[in-house]
Each structure stands twice: as structure tokens, then as C-alpha cells.
Amino acid sequence: MPVKVSVVVPVYNPGAHIEECVASLLRQSLPPDEYEVIFVDDGSTDGTGERLDELAAADPQVRVFHQENSGWSGRPRNVGIAAARGTYVMFVDNDDHLGDEALERMYAYGTAHDADVVVGKMAGRGRGVPVELFRRDRPRATVANAPLIDSLTPHKMFRRAFLDATGLRFPEGRRRLEDHVFVTEAYLRAGNIAVLGDYVCYYHVRRDDSSNAGFQRIDPVGYFKNLREALDVVERYTEPGPLRDRLFRRWLRVEMVERMRGRRLLDLPPDHRRELFTQMHEVVVERFGPGVAAGLQPTQQVVAALIAADRYDAVEEFAGWEAGVALTALPGRVAWEDGVLRVGFTAEYTVAGAPMTFSPGSAPTPLDGPPEDLAAAVEWVGADTVARFGQADADLLLRERAGGAQYFQPVEVTRERVPAGDGDRFRLVLRARATIDPAELAGAGLWDAVVRVKLGGWTKECRLGPAPGTDRPAPFAALSGGRTVLPYWTSPHACLALDVDRATRRVGLGTLTPDDADVTDGRLRVRLPLHVPGGGVEASLRLEVSGTRRDVPAVLSPHGPGALLLADLPLDGLRGGRWRLALGVPGPRFLPLPVGLRVRAGGARVVRAPGRGPLRRRLRATALGRTAARLRARARAWRG
């Protein structure tokens, strides 16, 4: 069968870090005879070459090439391209790994849309990755209609025939930004680019020792020399005008302005940051016209103007002010409504821990040259921020704690000017209401709620919290959309998180007592602190005693703020004794209930679960026991 995808992995002294990469490549959902893995060992000295040879000897879909160290990843990737037999070539770094269905999904998406380049959704583990690009699927993306230029790493799928027809290869040798040169040209020459945003294909991982090549200190002179080569590609394939300015803006913003802001600048050694600034100034004056910086956000425009004017001391002073700017997001109402979780919150910026305030001032004007001093810069940023407030947005993302995958949730936003209490100054507050649908959640795990705000030239994120110490929202767990979802507040920071399809004893069912259940005419009724949607949920009930197990159908339906469990008991088939009960939920998993059944001739009655009495008595004397007692009291309050 023809090879669909060739995965090319440049390798240099990864040590044990390569194991997760190897495992992810070998467990791909694409059939083994439909893809190949090509490791190009660039002169490793840590035993990796021998490890890869053993792997290739045991697995025919793996090939290994060895070469003397070339100094960077360009040559190994080119060797991989030359050896590739697949319709598409996928580049993976030896520190990173793929989602299990990445190759299958990206290949299918690329062929369905006749794409020369397929960009799969990325997740960062300790590393930044593009966010806006993957907000949705983009079957026909270009640098003009999508933020493709934000993603210049090579971790994408390229049609082999396209690479050959264009002669596109990576620059080789000891150099930086070879991926910028390669990917930028691919974007500008591709017939079509398809962006897959609904599945995490690539996990970009920062090593525990931060020894990834991208985290090493750069040589400013060599770095910006290589950056100019990426700009040369843009000039070669675009005409002067708005599109070229927009593309150039990416390098001004990411490689220059962002390096000169806040703590990122101030945490660098003084001599290094001055040398970086000098090289940036030369590139800005040499290559960028006024239209490049004009499209930046307000704070970015200030820094860009100061770089162009060669005012390093002013850049450092502005960075000191920006280092105190942060985002706060406080939760409001968090409650289930017919199977979806509604999450209310407010978000605003703070400076040095206090809410950022603004004055009505005058209408903003375009930035004409660098601000005179820090006060003028702050005033101009404030006026521009107020003017743009009508377009400000707040997003809620769910971010998977272990892998870093993140997904946008639907959000409705209102914008308010709140008096600050001092004269005519006011705060800019975003009030939002997000909707989380369990049926749309990406998978099991622990998911943190993250608020993301774009305003005033900042794109800032923070966890949603802390929740108030009193009157803290306390929604039940829910069975909805085929998932078991437990909203909870983290400890000690009280930020919102979701436990999806993992929790068993923590879902709040431990508050049940025999008073919450009864058996009438062979039918068990249990009132549960659990949310279910209006149509109810089919479940099961497990009964166990002394090695005997019986599963019977059950139905969960809304009952007040909680749910009512109904199950017909097969009393004629149950022998006498105390039976443990567990609720069967999607997964499939069973949640143990703290109540059981005492079955005797002629009927059954609800009792405490076997073996729990002595433990409960011991707990009553502890702080945990007092907390459990409060939960039980709360449960009795909603019991119907």
C-alpha cells in the first residue's frame, strides 16, 4: 500500500526525552503500513543512535539515518525529505510528541481540501503556541485571511510533490530561524493551506531542564542576520503594501517588541538586552516602513517607536511600568442549566495590584513618533485603550492540565465603565457569561478555566479565581452529554477547574444518608446531589455482596436542584444480606454510594453502606467529619 505520511524527526542527544516522542509515533491510529518514521541522527553522542537502530531493527516502518553533526536541524530535515516516500511529509522534533490520531486526521483533512500544507492544532507544555489560529477549522487558509504567520515552527504536514516542485528545503548549517525561512516560503507559494483546529495534533514540550534549542541564549548579531533572510522571503513573494506590512509586523511584534517588554526584558542580563536592542534598532530602521508599526496594539506601538528612535533607557522604563500590569478574573454565578454549565465572571486589568483606572481625557490620536516620557506614554495608551474598549473581548478557555490542550468556550460579553471613586476616573470592566457543554468537551482529564482578554495592546491570561470565601458557588457534579463533569475549586487558590470522567468518590454522593432513599413495591428511589438535563439520563445500578454482582437498568431524572434515581430491583433474585450499591455512569464507571440495601425475605430497605458505620463515627470527631456533616446538612436541605 502506498505510504501516506513520512514523519521526519531530526535527532541530537535527546536522551530519555525521545521516548515519549517514539511512543506517540508508534501508536498512531493510521495503519502501520500507511506511514513511515524517519529518524535522522545528527551525530548524537548520548547513545541515542544505538537506541534508534534497535528500534528500526524491530519495526519495519522505522528507518534511521546517521550523519556527522551539522549544528542545527536544517540538514537532518532535508535528509529526511530526500528519503521520504509518503504523499505528505510531517516534521516532528525529538522533544515533542503527537496526538494519537494526528497523522490520520491531518492526512484526511489535507487530501479532502487539496492542501499543500496542513497545520494541526498545537498544545504547549511549558511553551507558548498560537491560540487564535486554532479557534476553528480553516479549510482554505492564506496569510491574508488567517493568522498563519503566527505559526512558523516546522511542525506541520507538507505535500511531498509541492516541496519537490518548488525546490523548497531548509537552510542548513549553524543558524537560527531556518524554520521561519522554510515555512514562510511554503505559506506564500502553497496552492492551499488547511488548518485543523478541533483536535490537538502536536504537543510542543519544554524539557524539565529547559535544554531545548529554542530556549538557549541567542547571539544577537547572528540571530537578526538570520531574521533578515525571512524578511527577504516576504519581499520576494509579495508586493509593497498592506499585506507585506502585515507579514513584516509578525517579526517586529514577536522577535523585537515582545522581547523589550515587561519582565521578559528586565529579567535579561543588562549587557545582553542592550545588545539585542541595538540589533533590533538596525533592522527596524533598515527594513520597516511606517505601515508596519502602525498596525500594532497601543503598548506595542509605544515600544516600536522607542526602538526606532534608539531610546533604550525609555524602553527599559516603560518595561518597568508594564511589569506591574496584570489581569484579574473573578467568578460570579456558576450553575448548571439543563445540562450545560453557565459560568459568570468579571475581568479587568490591574497595575501594581490595584484596578487600572482611566480618565475621560481627549480623543486618542495616532502615535506620531515616540512619547516624550513615561507619563506621556501611559496617558496615550490609556486614551487609546478607552477608545477601543467597545471592541474588547474576554474569552474562556478550558486548558487540559497534563497536556496543555485548550479549547475556546462560547462567551457573551458586556462592557462597563465603573466609577473608580476618585474624581471622574473609572475602571474598564468586562462582564461575561460562558457556556460549557459537556457534549463538546475534548476528553477526560482535569481542565482549568482560563480567562483571556485582549485590550490596550495586551493579550493577557489568568486562571478564573479566586472564588469568594463565603457564598462560593457550589454546583453539583453533572451527568450530561455522555460525560461525568465535576466543577470544583482548586486548593489553595480557589480557581475553577473541571474533573471530566475521572472523579469517583469526589462527586458529592458521599453526603447521602438512608433518609435520601426508599424502596416501595420493589422500586428503589434515591435523591442525588447530581445534575442531569431535562430529558433525564439512562444509567445503571450495581448491587454487590460477598462476590455476587448484579447490574440493573436505572433512570436519572431532574428532581429539584438534583436528580432522582429510579431502579426496579430484582428482589426475587437477590439473596439475603447487605448489598453495596454503585451508580453506573458514562465511561463506563461506577460511583460507589454511601447507602446500601438490606435484603430479607419479603423485601428490602435502605441502610448505610456496609462497613461505613465505624469510619463515620471516627470522622465525626475530626475536622473532615465536621465538613462531611455540613455537606450532609446541605444535602438534606435540597432533598425533596
Side-chain angles (χ1 to χ4, degrees):
M1 180 174 291
V3 175
K4 293 180 177 179
V5 182
S6 297
V7 182
V8 174
V9 186
V11 178
Y12 179 69
N13 285 351
H17 294 282
I18 199 173
E19 296 302 330
E20 191 169 14
C21 175
V22 170
S24 78
L25 295 176
L26 298 184
R27 66 170 179 258
Q28 288 295 300
S29 60
L30 198 66
D33 61 347
E34 295 183 7
Y35 74 101
E36 64 178 353
V37 181
I38 302 171
F39 292 100
V40 183
D41 176 25
D42 197 40
S44 293
T45 58
D46 64 350
T48 298
E50 292 79 0
R51 164 76 176 95
L52 295 177
D53 286 339
E54 292 174 359
L55 185 66
D59 194 325
Q61 71 181 126
V62 175
R63 292 192 286 159
V64 179
F65 295 85
H66 299 278
Q67 63 182 35
E68 293 183 2
N69 182 253
S70 66
W72 209 250
S73 299
R75 177 164 176 74
R77 292 194 186 111
N78 289 341
V79 170
I81 294 172
R85 297 175 296 200
T87 303
Y88 282 93
V89 179
M90 175 80 190
F91 297 105
V92 176
D93 282 351
N94 60 199
D95 310 302
D96 303 331
H97 61 274
L98 298 181
D100 290 354
E101 301 173 20
L103 298 184
E104 181 179 12
R105 287 176 178 250
M106 292 178 72
Y107 176 83
Y109 197 68
T111 54
H113 300 290
D114 193 26
D116 289 328
V117 183
V118 185
V119 186
K121 183 181 180 75
M122 301 180 72
R125 285 171 48 181
R127 305 191 71 157
V129 297
V131 176
E132 289 296 331
L133 177 61
F134 303 116
R135 184 182 285 267
R136 58 181 175 82
D137 287 348
R138 303 173 190 268
R140 301 200 68 81
T142 68
V143 293
N145 66 19
L148 284 168
I149 202 66
D150 289 345
S151 180
L152 292 181
T153 63
H155 313 122
K156 300 164 178 62
M157 197 175 277
F158 300 84
R159 197 200 307 264
R160 170 65 193 272
F162 164 70
L163 298 180
D164 289 343
T166 58
L168 189 55
R169 295 294 187 270
F170 288 89
E172 298 183 2
R174 297 182 181 275
R175 51 163 299 121
R176 292 276 189 161
L177 304 180
E178 85 294 339
D179 47 357
H180 287 207
V181 175
F182 180 91
V183 175
T184 299
E185 183 168 349
Y187 283 163
L188 293 173
R189 301 184 70 181
N192 184 44
I193 304 166
V195 179
L196 181 62
D198 64 358
Y199 178 80
V200 178
C201 299
Y202 197 94
Y203 289 86
H204 205 23
V205 182
R206 180 172 185 167
R207 290 188 189 179
D208 295 337
D209 58 4
S210 297
S211 61
N212 311 72
F215 286 96
Q216 305 309 304
R217 177 167 168 165
I218 65 174
D219 164 42
V221 174
Y223 190 86
F224 286 98
K225 176 184 177 182
N226 295 151
L227 184 146
R228 287 175 172 88
E229 295 174 16
L231 303 182
D232 291 341
V233 172
V234 175
E235 290 184 341
R236 187 179 309 129
Y237 294 104
T238 66
E239 297 295 329
L243 177 60
R244 179 182 290 181
D245 287 346
R246 176 180 169 182
L247 299 180
F248 275 176
R249 195 172 298 134
R250 185 265 174 219
W251 283 276
L252 174 61
R253 172 173 53 85
V254 177
E255 307 299 337
M256 302 179 202
V257 169
E258 291 302 315
R259 293 178 185 270
M260 294 286 111
R261 295 181 67 183
R263 293 255 46 105
R264 186 172 180 186
L265 173 67
L266 300 178
D267 288 344
L268 294 174
D271 60 333
H272 184 53
R273 61 199 193 206
R274 277 190 173 274
E275 190 176 3
L276 283 170
F277 178 86
T278 298
Q279 295 301 316
M280 293 174 187
H281 169 71
E282 291 182 4
V283 174
V284 168
V285 173
E286 170 191 317
R287 304 296 290 265
F288 297 154
V292 179
L296 294 173
Q297 295 299 311
T299 49
Q300 296 168 341
Q301 287 190 47
V302 168
V303 177
L306 294 174
I307 293 173
D310 201 16
R311 288 176 52 188
Y312 172 77
D313 290 341
V315 167
E316 195 173 69
E317 188 178 19
F318 190 71
W321 174 76
E322 274 203 285
V325 177
L327 175 68
T328 61
L330 300 179
R333 180 175 180 267
V334 180
W336 292 101
E337 296 179 5
D338 196 21
V340 298
L341 186 65
R342 307 290 189 187
V343 179
F345 63 91
T346 59
E348 66 178 312
Y349 289 138
T350 62
V351 180
M356 184 180 288
T357 63
F358 303 83
S359 61
S362 58
T365 58
L367 188 64
D368 185 17
E372 180 179 348
D373 53 26
L374 177 61
V378 172
E379 181 180 0
W380 184 83
V381 168
D384 198 278
T385 300
V386 171
R388 296 173 187 244
F389 186 54
Q391 291 78 46
D393 276 319
D395 284 305
L396 182 75
L397 295 95
L398 291 183
R399 180 174 295 157
E400 203 270 321
R401 193 173 297 171
Q406 54 190 5
Y407 295 89
F408 288 93
Q409 306 301 304
V411 177
E412 299 174 356
V413 179
T414 59
R415 305 162 185 87
E416 294 186 16
R417 295 190 182 191
V418 178
D422 295 328
D424 59 356
R425 295 188 70 81
F426 54 87
R427 296 154 48 201
L428 299 178
V429 178
L430 296 169
R431 301 192 184 277
R433 187 170 185 252
T435 300
I436 299 174
D437 184 351
E440 300 297 325
L441 295 178
L446 298 179
W447 295 80
D448 293 311
V450 177
V451 174
R452 186 171 190 262
V453 169
K454 296 179 66 175
L455 175 65
W458 298 285
T459 299
K460 291 190 174 290
E461 295 180 349
C462 68
R463 296 277 296 277
L464 179 53
T470 59
D471 298 324
R472 179 176 294 174
F476 297 142
L479 299 182
S480 181
R483 298 192 178 282
T484 305
V485 181
L486 171 66
Y488 70 98
W489 303 100
T490 62
S491 178
H493 301 296
C495 295
L496 181 64
L498 302 181
D499 184 319
V500 179
D501 287 340
R502 284 170 43 112
T504 54
R505 297 183 182 277
R506 291 199 304 134
V507 296
L509 302 183
T511 61
L512 292 176
T513 72
D515 293 336
D516 297 313
D518 62 78
V519 179
T520 304
D521 296 330
R523 170 166 284 196
L524 174 68
R525 295 163 47 93
V526 186
R527 292 165 290 281
L528 300 174
L530 193 66
H531 176 81
V532 296
V537 173
E538 293 184 359
S540 62
L541 183 70
R542 173 164 290 178
L543 301 88
E544 289 186 282
V545 64
S546 302
T548 300
R549 174 183 295 175
R550 295 287 300 273
D551 290 344
V552 298
V555 174
L556 288 161
S557 57
H559 184 79
L564 181 65
L565 168 68
L566 295 176
D568 291 325
L569 301 173
L571 294 179
D572 293 341
L574 300 181
R575 62 185 174 88
R578 296 181 66 177
W579 291 74
R580 295 182 179 87
L581 301 179
L583 174 64
V585 297
R589 294 176 304 121
F590 283 86
L591 308 179
L593 300 180
V595 296
L597 290 176
R598 178 175 289 281
V599 179
R600 291 177 176 172
R605 65 184 180 90
V606 180
V607 296
R608 295 191 188 280
R612 294 181 61 87
L615 174 61
R616 189 178 298 277
R617 285 193 295 271
R618 289 196 298 272
L619 286 176
R620 285 192 181 121
T622 67
L624 179 59
R626 289 190 292 274
T627 299
R630 287 195 297 271
L631 290 173
R632 289 194 297 273
R634 178 173 174 268
R636 285 193 292 272
W638 60 261
R639 188 174 67 239

